[in-house]
Amino acid sequence: MENMNLNTNINVMPRIGEKAPEFTAVTTQGTIHFPSDFKGKWKILFSHPADFTPVCTSEFMTFAKMAQEFEALNCQLVGLSVDGIHSHIAWLRTIKEKIDFRGMSNMEVKFPLIEDIKMEVAGKYGMIQPGESTTSAVRAVFFIDQNDVIRTIMYYPLSLGRNFEEIKRVLVGLQTCDAFGVALPADWKPGVEVIVPPAGSCGVAKERMENKSGELHCYDWFFCTRDLAKEEVEEKLNVKF
Ligand code: BEZ
């Protein structure tokens, strides 16, 4: 009965634009102080329902395979479930030693995985959603920037594995918005046109419609785009896609 001492404060839902709630936790890589241990980095804090379950195993192997891509984007991955540390260690060892899935084998999870038996961290991050489960976390993903501000939140149910290319796309998108002062249209990926200026700051409609420099494509006064080459994004973010 690992979850006997339940955290009753599970109704907190952190929001985009707020500072990431702080915590200290035991992980598979030692004790961490979050977010202060990861100063200057982006952080992806994500939860999974339970160790030794199939969807979670497929997700962890995929994240482990892509770990270097997130590292290259200056992003620290931190996982969490309400299991204990011994369960985490045994599960990650099983993944490394036994599981061969979609050509992924010998996958070593090197990022910290938090033990949260008392649901203290899960409670702070709105990861316990009783309509879905009272005894495990839903699949949450928090994107937290270098100033420790929450920038995007995803919540998925127990039965649906996440799309890790989408998780990477969101991280690259957030970094691109910051680096170039632009907004990004539907289905954006590096190399696709960007929106200028970001929504909500359209104070120069006439000049934009006149488009003297010729670099804008305006669909109407409120909707202008410009090209942004993949190579420019790569150079600014210091990565290769
Ligand atoms: C899974 O990861 O396979 C899973 C976990 C909890 C409930 C259902 C599925």
Side-chain angles (χ1 to χ4, degrees), residues 48-50 52-59 136-137 139 158-160:
H48 69 275
F52 291 102
T53 51
V55 178
C56 301
T57 299
S58 69
E59 290 191 321
S136 57
R139 301 180 196 280
L158 303 192
S159 55
L160 178 60

Side-chain angles (χ1 to χ4, degrees), residues 16 31 44 66 85-86 116 141 158-159 174:
I16 291 174
T31 297
I44 292 182
M66 294 175 71
I85 195 75
H86 299 296
D116 194 25
V141 189
L158 303 192
S159 55
L174 291 168

